[in-house]
Amino acid sequence: MVPVTSPLPTNRAAASIAPRARTMAPVFHELTLFHGSMGAGKSTLALQNAYNRRQAGRPGILLTSMDRAGSGVLSSRLGVMADAIEVTDSTDLITLIAGEVPSGGFVIVDEAQFLRVEQVEQVAWAVDELCVDVDCYAIATDFQSLLFPGSQRLLELADHTVALQVEVTCWCGRPGRQNARIEDGRVARFGAQVAVGDTSDAADVTYRVLCRRHWREGELGPE
């Protein structure tokens, strides 16, 4: 017997918002995931892409969650920043996008690893039914090297996934792919999956990119 699978879950907003007329080929709207370790330039690229699209006359919005610079801000470690809409666990992204972004517009989501699984499904629905492009920028794995639920669902649903190629290295020179959480001078092994660090409000929590070997051994290198 072939198992019967249910369609992707939707919410009340999806049921109450009429899909827009779909754009005909060869133009299709897409959900794209850009992912990389800390320092790979995700937020910088998000800001650059938003700027370029607005310069081309396309309407769109920037979304973020728990940015290091505070609520409602999308910031890059290079010092560039822009106002953004803060997404919380209770944010209904279908309602938000339907109200803020016209057909043919764009949505940029930074810190997309913090999206709930349901919210990832909402942005996928918005791409298909509201005729918008959605770009998500995310760290794939947490400090224990486990996929964030939001990142995992994006990997499963995205039309395209792009691994950022900016060089990020461990102190030893090997490729840095593990996002280590540092607490009390040691690599943390336990704790909540989400703990925003490198801010004035989280002085005891910092993050550092390590290679797999030195993350496993907890070796932070010479000071």
Side-chain angles (χ1 to χ4, degrees), residues 51-211:
Y51 175 82
N52 289 345
R53 289 175 182 178
R54 286 172 171 169
Q55 285 294 102
R58 291 188 66 188
I61 57 174
L62 277 65
L63 309 180
T64 190
S65 299
M66 295 182 279
D67 189 277
R68 66 186 73 82
S71 178
V73 178
L74 195 167
S75 70
S76 162
R77 283 183 169 85
L78 297 181
V80 184
M81 62 181 61
D83 292 336
I85 298 171
E86 185 76 14
V87 175
T88 68
D89 284 349
S90 63
T91 302
D92 188 306
L93 293 178
I94 290 177
T95 301
L96 175 62
I97 294 169
E100 297 288 338
V101 186
S103 181
F106 69 90
V107 179
I108 283 180
V109 187
D110 197 31
E111 307 293 357
Q113 69 271 10
F114 297 140
L115 294 179
R116 291 185 295 108
V117 168
E118 180 185 5
Q119 289 172 322
V120 173
E121 291 165 354
Q122 288 171 357
V123 297
W125 189 94
V127 169
D128 297 337
E129 307 298 342
L130 298 180
C131 301
V132 298
D133 291 302
V134 178
D135 289 353
C136 293
Y137 299 79
I139 293 171
T141 57
D142 64 13
F143 74 106
Q144 294 178 308
S145 203
L146 301 174
L147 284 169
F148 283 98
S151 298
Q152 178 177 336
R153 197 67 179 125
L154 282 164
L155 286 165
E156 294 164 347
L157 292 182
D159 297 297
H160 303 286
T161 60
V162 180
L164 299 187
Q165 300 300 312
V166 173
E167 183 180 30
V168 183
T169 58
C170 177
W171 60 267
C172 68
R174 293 188 182 95
R177 298 194 177 97
Q178 315 305 131
N179 302 303
R181 182 187 296 171
I182 313 302
E183 297 178 357
D184 298 324
R186 296 184 178 182
V187 175
R189 303 299 184 189
F190 305 99
Q193 186 175 50
V194 177
V196 179
D198 302 324
T199 70
S200 57
D201 296 329
D204 328 347
V205 179
T206 59
Y207 286 87
R208 188 179 304 178
V209 176
L210 299 175
C211 67

